[in-house]
Amino acid sequence: MIPQEAEYRSWMLAALAGDAAAYRMLLQGLTRHLRGYYAKRLGAAAAEDAMQETLIAIHAKRATYDPARPFTAWVYGIARYKLVDEYRRTKRAAAVSLDDAGDLFGADEAEAASAKRDVEKLLARLPQAKRDLVRAVKLDGHSIAEAAARTGMSETSVKVTVHRALKSLGEELGDNHADR
C-alpha cells in the first residue's frame, strides 16, 4: 500500500460526506500522481489533458467508490481507462504495459488485497475449526506439529483435516467454474 492510501481514502470519505476542503486536498494530491503517471506515458502536453480528464471522471464517478476497497486501486482503474482512451484518440501504441502501475500507486498491493479478500471468502465456507487449521498451516506458515500442539489434535489428524478442507474447497471451486 502506498503511504498516501490512508490519507487519500480519508479525504475521499470526508469529501463524500460533504467536506469541500478535504476534496480539494484529495484532488491536489491526485494531480501530482496523475501528472507523473501520464507524463511518462504520453509526454507533458498530452499528460495535462489526460490528467484533467481523469480528475473529471473521478468527480463524476465518485459515488461509485466502495470504501471497503483500496482507494488508489479505484483511481488507478480510472486512470488506466483514460490512458487507453488517449491512445485510441491519438492512434498510438502503448510504449509501456498498461498494467505497469508502479509510478502511480502500486497495483501489486491492490492485487494482493483482492487476492486476500478472495481467500477469506473461500475460507469462510469452511467450519471454524477447519478454517483455523488451514489458515495456520497454509497461510501463516505453522508446521503440522505446531498446529497439532496448539489444537490438541494428532499430527495425522491435522494433516487429514487440512487436506480434506482444501480438497472440498477445490471441488466447490470446480463446480462453480463449471457453471459459468
Side-chain angles (χ1 to χ4, degrees):
M1 187 176 301
I2 69 160
Q4 295 90 352
E5 170 69 30
E7 187 173 48
Y8 286 168
R9 183 179 182 283
S10 69
W11 286 339
M12 180 61 162
L13 294 177
L16 290 173
D19 186 339
Y23 196 51
R24 274 192 303 279
M25 291 170 30
L26 173 66
L27 293 177
Q28 287 171 352
L30 291 176
T31 297
R32 287 188 301 276
H33 282 283
L34 292 169
R35 185 175 283 131
Y37 175 76
Y38 288 123
K40 179 178 178 182
R41 289 157 178 80
L42 301 172
E48 288 299 313
D49 290 340
M51 179 195 59
Q52 290 298 324
E53 289 292 323
T54 304
L55 292 175
I56 291 167
I58 289 169
H59 177 75
K61 301 290 184 187
R62 68 188 182 278
T64 68
Y65 170 63
D66 179 0
R69 299 195 175 245
F71 176 71
T72 52
W74 180 77
V75 170
Y76 170 70
I78 294 170
R80 186 173 55 182
Y81 284 113
K82 291 299 176 184
L83 181 62
V84 170
D85 289 346
E86 182 61 25
Y87 284 143
R88 284 184 187 136
R89 191 173 17 260
T90 61
K91 307 273 190 249
R92 289 175 25 170
V96 294
S97 168
L98 295 178
D99 293 326
D100 176 22
D103 294 338
L104 184 56
F105 295 119
D108 293 338
E109 290 84 7
E111 290 175 21
S114 177
K116 184 176 181 182
R117 280 191 302 276
D118 291 345
V119 168
E120 290 301 324
K121 284 180 187 177
L122 273 175
L123 288 177
R125 297 176 181 181
L126 295 172
Q128 186 66 46
K130 287 182 180 181
R131 183 181 326 151
D132 290 344
L133 283 176
V134 169
R135 184 175 281 119
V137 174
K138 296 298 182 180
L139 299 177
D140 297 339
H142 295 286
S143 69
I144 297 290
E146 290 170 330
R150 198 179 77 211
T151 61
M153 297 171 69
S154 70
E155 289 183 29
T156 302
S157 294
V158 170
K159 285 181 191 177
V160 169
T161 301
V162 169
H163 174 76
R164 288 181 180 165
L166 292 175
K167 184 176 178 184
S168 71
L169 288 176
E171 289 170 353
E172 193 171 323
L173 280 176
D175 290 344
N176 287 345
H177 288 300
D179 294 339
R180 290 184 184 179

